[in-house]
Amino acid sequence: MRCVIMQYVIKGGNPLVGDVVIGGAKNAALGILAAAIMADEDVTIENLPDVRDTNVLLEAIEDIGARVRRIDPHTVCINGSAISTVRVNNDFIKRIRASYYLLGALLGKYKRAEVSLPGGCNIGSRPIDQHLKGFRALGARADVEYGMVVADALHLAGNHIYLDMVSVGATINIMLAAVLAEGNTILENAAKEPHIVDVANLLNSMGANIKGAGTDVIRIRGVQRLHGTTYSIIPDQIEAGTFMFAAAMTRGDVTVKNVIPRHLEAISAKLKEMGCEVIEFDDAVRVVCKSRLHYTHVKTLPYPGFPTDMQPQISVALSLAEGTSMVTESIFENRFKYVDELARMGANVKVESNVAVISGVNRLTGADVSAPDLRAGAALVLAGLAADGYTVVDETKYILRGYERFDEKLRLLGACIYQAEDERDVRRFKLEAV
Ligand code: EPZ
């Protein structure tokens, strides 16, 4: 049997020019799909990104008995009335970390949930103690038993919860569990990411009473039940940022459409510091880069700081910038794993603890590299687009977790990139691309 390993083969050097349309936010979608099972009526979700992580979560939702009707690739109707088990199959959890949102959703709705400890991209140790602390504060027993997180309660009651660190996942999971709890919950030191607001808006349109999402204090007044709704997911900030950096690195001119420019402020600010022109429209951002990028320093922080999910992309861009930059990763300790791969392309990056010191080089040269995780994989593709010669990025399965038609969108901007299934495909591409 032929072993199919998907790879991207890239011939670098083309400036990206044109328009690209951004899809719905993956990380909002994951919280929203879990929330949708909490009603016993139809919840229709629009602008759903058609990516691996959302599709695996939909499979998990269907597997516990919810009705899932895919209306088109970007619209799905979920009805949680027929859910027959609160135990989520281990296989789904191993494939995507965000299945843990089913913990909050099932606990909130049925007062019991059993979900294996989550997997996901290997970017750090990723504990879930804050999620469990929140569930316990609402009156649930929440323990890890035989590799499963088991949470149950006779009834859930609102409480005052302070998160020890800002966590996107814990904020969403506690919101999910608290919307159907009795009384008021106040969640302090909550994450403020746009997707938190999006999940709260969806829940409110299902009849929940959540105030303050987008600030660090979220107030939830428990309601008896949630009802059906139709809701459209916000645009993906990280997909947009990735294309903005692709424009910058290839000295291109790209208009990134269907975005909320306010969500991109940290990214736009860094691109401007690096010498790009960034022009904001109502729902689009144009990035123009005419000369070599300048160095800058950046530290990843919770929103509205510079997103950790954009750290590999900016680092790869800085590897070609004039001067020496410092990139500090303050959220996940394992997020510099791509640096060795980038070094194969000629980059000069030294990592000491959570800081990368990047001495910009004049050019990168194509090489065979392997994507260690989703965002680093996308960043290596950007490196390939800016490098001389051919780059092969292996393990594209990670990239497909979060980017829809990534290669196709890049091709429409003039990139020379193809998916290859084996060595023969790679050789054919290289011959044809000459
Ligand atoms: C979400 O992960 C995203 N995933 C990640 O996106 C993103 O990188 C991250 O938020 C930060 O923005 C999803 O939304 C599915 P956290 P999450 O809880 O929720 C520590 C991508 O590429 N922490 O905000 O897992 C944790 O170790 C992915 O799309 C605890 O210590 O991140 C980290 O240092 C990868 N205990 C920090 O908090 C906890 O109980 C922030 O993590 C929870 C978190």
Side-chain angles (χ1 to χ4, degrees):
M1 200 176 69
R2 195 167 68 112
C3 172
V4 178
I5 302 170
M6 295 307 274
Q7 302 169 321
Y8 285 135
V9 199
I10 303 155
K11 181 170 184 243
N14 292 3
L16 299 193
V17 178
D19 298 347
V20 61
V21 179
I22 299 305
K26 175 199 68 124
N27 287 343
L30 295 168
I32 282 173
L33 293 176
I37 68 163
M38 296 182 75
D40 284 339
E41 297 170 9
D42 284 358
V43 176
T44 303
I45 306 299
E46 299 169 344
N47 203 30
L48 178 75
D50 186 12
V51 293
R52 208 184 120 232
D53 276 14
T54 50
N55 289 328
V56 172
L57 184 56
L58 283 171
E59 277 179 56
I61 286 173
E62 210 164 14
D63 194 63
I64 57 173
R67 280 201 299 277
V68 173
R69 193 160 45 91
R70 197 69 173 247
I71 294 164
D72 63 45
H74 301 120
T75 313
V76 69
C77 178
I78 294 173
N79 186 312
S81 60
I83 289 176
S84 53
T85 175
V86 293
R87 189 180 173 98
V88 179
N89 186 322
N90 189 15
D91 182 47
F92 297 113
I93 302 296
K94 276 200 236 142
R95 285 156 68 195
I96 56 159
R97 180 171 181 80
S99 330
Y100 66 19
Y101 288 144
L102 295 174
L103 263 177
L106 291 168
L107 177 66
K109 187 177 182 192
Y110 299 109
K111 314 299 172 237
R112 183 168 175 92
E114 294 173 36
V115 175
S116 303
L117 274 175
C121 275
N122 181 10
I123 53 179
S125 69
R126 308 187 80 179
I128 59 160
D129 55 302
Q130 299 303 302
H131 305 233
L132 302 186
K133 169 177 156 170
F135 298 153
R136 289 183 189 127
L138 297 173
R141 177 182 74 97
D143 291 313
V144 179
E145 293 169 1
Y146 306 105
M148 305 282 287
V149 184
V150 180
D152 62 1
L154 282 178
H155 90 288
L156 295 173
N159 204 344
H160 201 124
I161 302 166
Y162 179 87
L163 291 181
D164 297 330
M165 78 275 302
V166 178
S167 160
V168 171
T171 302
I172 291 179
N173 235 340
I174 295 168
M175 262 186 346
L176 291 169
V179 285
L180 291 174
E182 202 182 311
N184 296 330
T185 296
I186 300 175
L187 182 58
E188 288 201 67
N189 200 24
K192 296 181 278 201
E193 269 69 3
H195 33 290
I196 306 282
V197 182
D198 213 31
V199 176
N201 286 344
L202 172 271
L203 284 165
N204 282 342
S205 85
M206 293 168 72
N209 185 339
I210 304 173
K211 295 201 167 77
T215 75
D216 52 14
V217 183
I218 299 180
R219 292 167 201 278
I220 302 163
R221 182 184 289 266
V223 296
Q224 296 271 328
R225 59 180 286 277
L226 298 174
H227 54 71
T229 190
T230 296
Y231 189 83
S232 182
I233 296 174
I234 52 164
D236 196 304
Q237 174 204 10
I238 305 301
E239 187 195 11
T242 304
F243 279 98
M244 290 165 77
F245 270 88
M249 285 188 65
T250 59
R251 296 196 194 168
D253 180 347
V254 173
T255 302
V256 181
K257 292 186 158 174
N258 184 34
V259 297
I260 300 174
R262 194 166 39 83
H263 294 168
L264 301 169
E265 271 166 10
I267 296 164
S268 301
K270 281 294 154 195
L271 283 169
K272 285 180 194 162
E273 279 177 35
M274 291 165 72
C276 300
E277 197 183 347
V278 181
I279 307 146
E280 288 181 8
F281 302 93
D282 284 349
D283 62 356
V285 179
R286 180 176 167 201
V287 177
V288 186
C289 180
K290 295 207 175 84
S291 53
R292 190 174 176 198
L293 297 168
H294 309 307
Y295 77 91
T296 189
H297 306 307
V298 63
K299 181 175 182 180
T300 62
L301 287 169
Y303 188 83
F306 191 86
T308 173
D309 291 349
M310 285 299 301
Q311 180 267 104
Q313 298 88 319
I314 192 170
S315 299
V316 163
L318 290 172
S319 75
L320 276 171
E322 197 172 356
T324 300
S325 309
M326 282 207 311
V327 177
T328 307
E329 172 56 62
S330 67
I331 313 285
F332 290 114
E333 68 273 17
N334 272 351
R335 249 192 163 164
F336 283 125
K337 282 197 299 188
Y338 62 92
V339 160
D340 290 344
E341 302 298 301
L342 196 58
R344 298 158 71 82
M345 301 177 72
N348 183 352
V349 184
K350 288 196 175 57
V351 177
E352 191 86 25
S353 169
N354 67 334
V355 180
V357 179
I358 305 173
S359 307
V361 292
N362 279 321
R363 63 175 199 144
L364 294 174
T365 48
D368 290 1
V369 293
S370 189
D373 61 66
L374 162 60
R375 305 302 172 185
L380 289 170
V381 169
L382 302 198
L385 295 173
D388 290 348
Y390 295 97
T391 296
V392 179
V393 181
D394 208 345
E395 298 286 8
T396 54
K397 62 174 193 246
Y398 290 115
I399 301 173
L400 303 179
R401 293 180 84 136
Y403 291 89
E404 185 177 338
R405 297 182 293 113
F406 193 41
D407 54 328
E408 190 185 320
K409 288 186 179 185
L410 287 167
R411 264 196 309 278
L412 287 171
L413 295 170
C416 201
I417 173 171
Y418 284 91
Q419 277 211 30
E421 288 189 4
D422 53 27
E423 273 312 305
R424 216 177 36 193
D425 268 0
V426 174
R427 278 199 301 277
R428 190 179 321 125
F429 170 83
K430 287 183 178 174
L431 280 173
E432 283 170 10
V434 174

